Amino acid sequence: MSAEPVHTLADLENWSFAGTALTVIGRPVAHSLSPVIHNAALAVMAETAPEFSMWRYFKFDIAPEELPRALKLFHQKNFRGLNLTVPHKALAIEHLASSDAFVKAAGAANTLTHTATGWSGANTDNYGLSAALRQDLGLELKGADVILLGAGGAARAAAIECLRQHCNSLWIGNRTQPTLSALVENLKSLAGDIPVHGFDLTSPPTDLPANALVLNATSVGLKPDDRAPIDLQKIARPVAVYDMIYRPPQTALLRQAAALGLPTANGLSMLVHQGARSLEIWSGANVPVDVMQAAALNAAKP
């Protein structure tokens, strides 16, 4: 576990920091390695650009009901940038002063940048996902049948990226049906000829495609006693399984996939690539992705 302390809304009320502050906010957030990888990158960047020696990345545990107040305070305290994780990616949308086209399409943001009028929203999860699948599994979303688990902020961004990359078909499983139905309906206007289907995670349909890429975008797996969000033995054999969760490094879903002899990867590389893109947005500088990757791998060791 990272030695980086977890701050709260109460800490933010009395916050004082002389340098340039960045942070990740979420609940839960104690597990996050974002401070480790960003601060490692900033240390290297400071070697050639001394101004980055005054930049620091933190983490804050913020409850959903605290988000509006927290976003105002982060802005007042002159934080330069925020990363959002569960459950804030979709909740923050109504509090943004502006956002890019991807955020508007996905209804989710993970990267906020301080502007004079408020927060500007972007989403780097899409870039991080594609880069991670390429790096860890040698797979592209283009032409793939995708079984996406979840319908929250992370899943929305993943779904948009699948469609943007022209996947062959997209199947979205979720337990909460109203949320699932709303997402599927919203995606159809973006899908064109790509078929988009929703299904109940508790009873997967028998016609899910074989050789599909399974992507877990739910938070099921963060807790040690969590079961897998889907029973892989009840669906046609996938080509690979990717879990966006990176801590723990092997979730119940990935353990089952490995037992079935399937290629697997967790979300560590996605964290690195989306984080690097966020830091590029905030700094306007070249970011050492290899340094962030090494820091992530070292911090994630058992």
Side-chain angles (χ1 to χ4, degrees):
M1 186 68 72
S2 166
E4 184 68 51
V6 179
H7 301 284
T8 66
L9 184 62
D11 297 319
L12 184 59
E13 297 275 0
N14 302 300
W15 188 260
S16 178
F17 180 69
T20 298
L22 307 166
T23 190
V24 59
I25 65 174
R27 176 165 285 188
V29 79
H31 67 285
S32 176
L33 295 181
S34 289
V36 172
I37 66 173
H38 281 86
N39 288 325
L42 290 168
V44 171
M45 292 163 68
E47 294 173 3
T48 53
E51 64 268 22
F52 291 119
S53 65
M54 294 299 292
W55 288 47
R56 181 75 182 175
Y57 192 106
F58 303 91
K59 59 183 168 184
F60 277 78
D61 184 305
I62 301 293
E65 62 272 17
E66 296 173 335
L67 184 63
R69 173 65 177 159
L71 290 177
K72 289 180 182 178
L73 282 173
F74 280 123
H75 195 267
Q76 290 171 7
K77 302 290 184 177
N78 289 317
F79 276 67
R80 188 180 187 91
L82 314 179
N83 276 141
L84 308 177
T85 187
V86 175
H88 300 313
K89 294 181 183 184
L91 297 177
I93 296 299
E94 62 182 287
H95 304 290
L96 301 181
S98 62
S99 58
D100 64 20
F102 189 93
V103 169
K104 291 174 181 175
N110 80 320
T111 302
L112 307 189
T113 303
H114 190 285
T115 72
T117 57
W119 292 110
S120 174
N123 199 313
T124 65
D125 281 337
N126 58 321
Y127 171 81
L129 175 61
S130 287
L133 291 173
R134 195 174 300 121
Q135 174 182 312
D136 293 343
L137 296 170
L139 296 175
E140 300 285 346
L141 290 171
K142 184 177 181 179
D145 292 302
V146 179
I147 299 172
L148 177 63
L149 313 181
R156 293 181 195 187
I160 297 291
E161 182 67 1
C162 289
L163 296 176
R164 281 181 36 160
Q165 296 294 335
H166 302 289
C167 64
N168 186 58
S169 68
L170 179 59
W171 300 72
I172 305 173
N174 198 55
R175 284 182 166 81
T176 306
Q177 292 310 299
T179 305
L180 174 63
S181 298
L183 177 58
V184 170
E185 190 61 32
N186 289 340
L187 291 174
K188 286 183 177 178
S189 63
L190 304 171
D193 294 334
I194 301 171
V196 178
H197 309 276
F199 68 92
D200 187 343
L201 267 180
T202 60
S203 56
T206 58
D207 58 345
L208 289 175
N211 297 313
L213 171 62
V214 174
L215 299 176
N216 179 37
T218 76
S219 60
V220 179
L222 281 173
K223 299 176 182 177
D225 56 347
D226 279 348
R227 294 184 177 182
I230 194 171
D231 185 348
L232 296 172
Q233 291 183 306
K234 292 184 177 180
I235 66 174
R237 187 175 179 85
V239 67
V241 178
Y242 188 87
D243 198 325
M244 294 184 190
I245 293 170
Y246 61 86
R247 221 169 195 183
Q250 193 172 47
T251 59
L253 179 67
L254 293 184
R255 286 195 298 272
Q256 186 187 35
L260 294 172
L262 299 172
T264 65
N266 66 26
L268 197 64
S269 290
M270 181 177 174
L271 172 77
V272 169
H273 288 290
Q274 64 83 18
R277 182 56 63 91
S278 293
L279 191 52
E280 287 176 357
I281 291 172
W282 297 324
S283 68
N286 291 326
V287 173
V289 180
D290 58 335
V291 171
M292 298 177 82
Q293 186 82 41
L297 288 170
N298 184 63
K301 290 178 180 177

